[in-house]
Amino acid sequence: MRLHWHRRDLRAADNAGLAAATPSDPVVPVFVFDRAVLDHAGSPRVAFMLDALDSLREWYRDRDSDLVIAEGDPTNVLPELAAEYGAEKVTWGKDYSGLARERDAAVRQALDDADVAREAVQNAVLHEPGEITTNDGDPYSVFTYFGRKWHDREKDTAYEPPSADELADVDGDAPPTLADLGFEEPEADVPTAGTDEARALLDDFLDENVYEYEERRDFPADECTSRLSAHLKFGTIGIREVYERTQDAKEGTGGDRRESVREFQSQLAWREFYTQVLFAHPHVVSSNYKSYENPIEWENDEELLQAWKDGETGYPIVDAGMRQLREEAYMHNRVRMIVASFLTKDLLIDWRHGYEWFREKLVDHDTANDNGGWQWAASTGTDAQPYFRIFNPMTQGEDYDPNAEYIKEYVPELQDAAPEVIHDWNECSLTQRRSAAPEYPDPVVKHSERREEALSMFEQARGDD
């Protein structure tokens, strides 16, 4: 008998921890609600996770097994469960954040003390930190070189799910509710979780959009993205399975269509680039990756921060993104870059405030990805946007939402305004604004002025004369 401790692998297929089970050595699937982890969670993610657990539990129950649900410190719970079921080994999928590594080290010690074998398997990435390095063996700080090697490396194939006779005959309790765990219902409409839903999204994406991904992915109104981010975060679908399916799509076509699929695969590589950055530099969760000679003197105006959170900045593409976040616990990737640049370069607010808000509100929040993205926008991270390249939020809106379709979907006050007025909102007169959209706010700052202030702030941090 063995235990498999589910964490960020809420699936049965393509799960290395379940693959070694046999009829003579069946597996007991386990999930532990750990307060030390929940303390860092937001209600959208917990709601999605509970839905994923329900789906996974149903999969096991359909095969006359069950998902054993427990609450407490895994260092206590796992040895106790191993003793209860007579398990000789515990497996789990590796996680790469500092918090996860500290927890896993404590669990390894607890299992060693209980004389229970243990094995951490690769379930979240295609290439673990340390597999792709510079010629000197160091982790990459520039994606381009990492990405080239990532594309060239051979990938493992997906694992088959365990059969019914490879699963232990156990009974488990239903997962707790949000309220049981101390969370309120999210204000957002959280998407459906589970492997079936993830595969349906992947099927739909690979039907056509993946072949236009390179050209259309930056246009939020086009809905040309996979929407798999939350499923990859919680592992309701395996990364090996996703890669294999995209590889099949790439090999079945050529030209621009083939390059478009490769561009999507590059986004999978970005996930792993930021994972290896976090693994090598765990301090980046709360500290700048890039050091400046002097501290960056963020202004951190509370009223401006609240306007940003509420989607009330008077910059339409920014407000659309922030309102999408509240409504859907999701934001289009191009818009994430825009709102992050706006917070750090126009409002002069520390990226950590934005990162914390995303952590609370995003259903797909991933420590490595989100931290990497925020530090890129703030010009403090690896391979970051140079401090002097500052997004103009009006130009970004005009370039990537030219007909203001996305903006109007999330900012109904602008429903009757012409796109040219929306994209020139910060330059419109007060009379023009009141005539076009009387309920929509005036810009909280003037971009051209704040751009100069941002440049000055970073030049001071750099120690420039």
Side-chain angles (χ1 to χ4, degrees), residues 11-19 122-123 125-126 154-162 199 202 237-248:
R11 64 183 185 273
D14 190 19
N15 193 318
L18 300 176
Q122 183 173 323
N123 258 345
V125 294
L126 292 163
E154 186 175 347
K155 311 288 190 286
D156 289 340
T157 57
Y159 295 93
E160 293 295 323
R199 284 174 168 168
L202 182 58
I237 191 168
I239 186 63
R240 290 170 288 251
E241 178 178 342
V242 171
Y243 182 81
E244 283 183 8
R245 294 287 309 281
T246 60
Q247 193 69 2
D248 289 343

Side-chain angles (χ1 to χ4, degrees), residues 49 73 82-83 164 188 241 248 258 267 300 303 319 321 341 361 367 382 398 403 446:
M49 179 182 70
D73 185 338
E241 178 178 342
D248 289 343
R258 182 182 177 89
Q267 302 310 305
N300 294 332
E303 290 187 7
D319 293 341
S341 176
K361 294 296 182 182
T367 301
T382 59
E398 187 172 13
N403 296 319
K446 189 172 180 62

Side-chain angles (χ1 to χ4, degrees), residues 106-309:
V107 168
R108 287 195 297 271
Q109 185 61 57
L111 291 172
D112 286 347
D113 292 344
D115 199 25
V116 177
R118 72 300 194 278
E119 181 184 6
V121 299
Q122 183 173 323
N123 258 345
V125 294
L126 292 163
H127 299 292
E128 290 190 88
E131 285 187 28
I132 297 177
T133 64
T134 67
N135 292 338
D136 293 331
D138 298 321
Y140 276 104
S141 59
V142 177
F143 172 75
T144 304
Y145 307 113
F146 175 92
R148 287 173 186 163
K149 288 186 177 180
W150 185 94
H151 278 288
D152 290 341
R153 293 289 171 90
E154 186 175 347
K155 311 288 190 286
D156 289 340
T157 57
Y159 295 93
E160 293 295 323
S163 60
D165 62 356
E166 294 170 336
L167 302 173
D169 182 8
V170 295
D171 292 312
D173 297 323
T177 66
L178 272 173
D180 292 337
L181 295 172
F183 289 88
E184 296 182 355
E185 289 291 332
E187 63 176 324
D189 184 11
V190 176
T192 302
T195 298
D196 288 345
E197 178 66 18
R199 284 174 168 168
L201 288 171
L202 182 58
D203 287 344
D204 184 59
F205 180 63
L206 294 179
D207 184 51
E208 185 58 37
N209 281 344
V210 72
Y211 300 114
E212 299 177 2
Y213 181 79
E214 185 172 28
E215 180 182 351
R216 295 172 52 207
R217 68 187 178 93
D218 279 323
F219 296 86
D222 282 5
E223 291 288 351
C224 194
T225 57
S226 71
R227 289 289 188 124
L228 285 173
S229 52
H231 295 278
L232 290 172
K233 153 69 182 179
F234 286 97
T236 54
I237 191 168
I239 186 63
R240 290 170 288 251
E241 178 178 342
V242 171
Y243 182 81
E244 283 183 8
R245 294 287 309 281
T246 60
Q247 193 69 2
D248 289 343
K250 188 172 74 172
E251 292 176 355
T253 190
D256 291 344
R257 287 165 64 88
R258 182 182 177 89
E259 286 304 308
S260 187
V261 180
R262 180 183 170 89
E263 179 59 33
F264 176 75
Q265 291 177 331
S266 290
Q267 302 310 305
L268 304 180
W270 270 105
R271 288 179 70 248
E272 302 193 6
F273 172 71
Y274 282 137
T275 296
Q276 60 96 32
V277 170
L278 178 64
F279 183 84
H281 309 281
H283 69 278
V284 298
V285 172
S286 57
S287 302
N288 295 337
Y289 174 88
K290 179 187 294 184
S291 60
Y292 286 88
E293 184 174 330
N294 302 310
I296 302 172
E297 299 294 341
W298 305 105
E299 291 189 3
N300 294 332
D301 184 294
E302 288 292 337
E303 290 187 7
L304 293 178
L305 176 60
Q306 192 60 51
W308 178 82
K309 290 179 177 180

Side-chain angles (χ1 to χ4, degrees), residues 289-347:
Y289 174 88
K290 179 187 294 184
S291 60
Y292 286 88
E293 184 174 330
N294 302 310
I296 302 172
E297 299 294 341
W298 305 105
E299 291 189 3
N300 294 332
D301 184 294
E302 288 292 337
E303 290 187 7
L304 293 178
L305 176 60
Q306 192 60 51
W308 178 82
K309 290 179 177 180
D310 292 340
E312 296 284 347
T313 68
Y315 281 83
I317 191 71
V318 173
D319 293 341
M322 298 307 295
R323 296 188 195 188
Q324 182 184 27
L325 176 62
R326 282 185 176 271
E327 292 176 22
E328 301 175 11
Y330 170 85
M331 190 189 302
H332 184 274
N333 187 59
R334 165 58 60 172
V335 186
R336 294 188 197 201
M337 292 190 285
I338 295 169
V339 304
S341 176
F342 186 81
L343 183 75
T344 56
K345 305 294 178 62
D346 283 76
L347 302 186

Side-chain angles (χ1 to χ4, degrees), residues 59-111:
W59 190 92
Y60 283 123
R61 288 166 69 88
D62 285 344
R63 289 156 180 80
D64 298 321
S65 185
D66 208 340
L67 179 64
V68 175
I69 302 290
E71 295 186 51
D73 185 338
T75 61
N76 298 323
V77 171
L78 291 171
E80 292 170 359
L81 289 175
E84 179 181 347
Y85 291 103
E88 298 178 349
K89 187 173 186 178
V90 180
T91 58
W92 64 82
K94 295 179 185 178
D95 202 348
Y96 304 101
S97 70
L99 174 65
R101 289 157 66 189
E102 290 176 8
R103 174 197 58 199
D104 293 355
V107 168
R108 287 195 297 271
Q109 185 61 57
L111 291 172

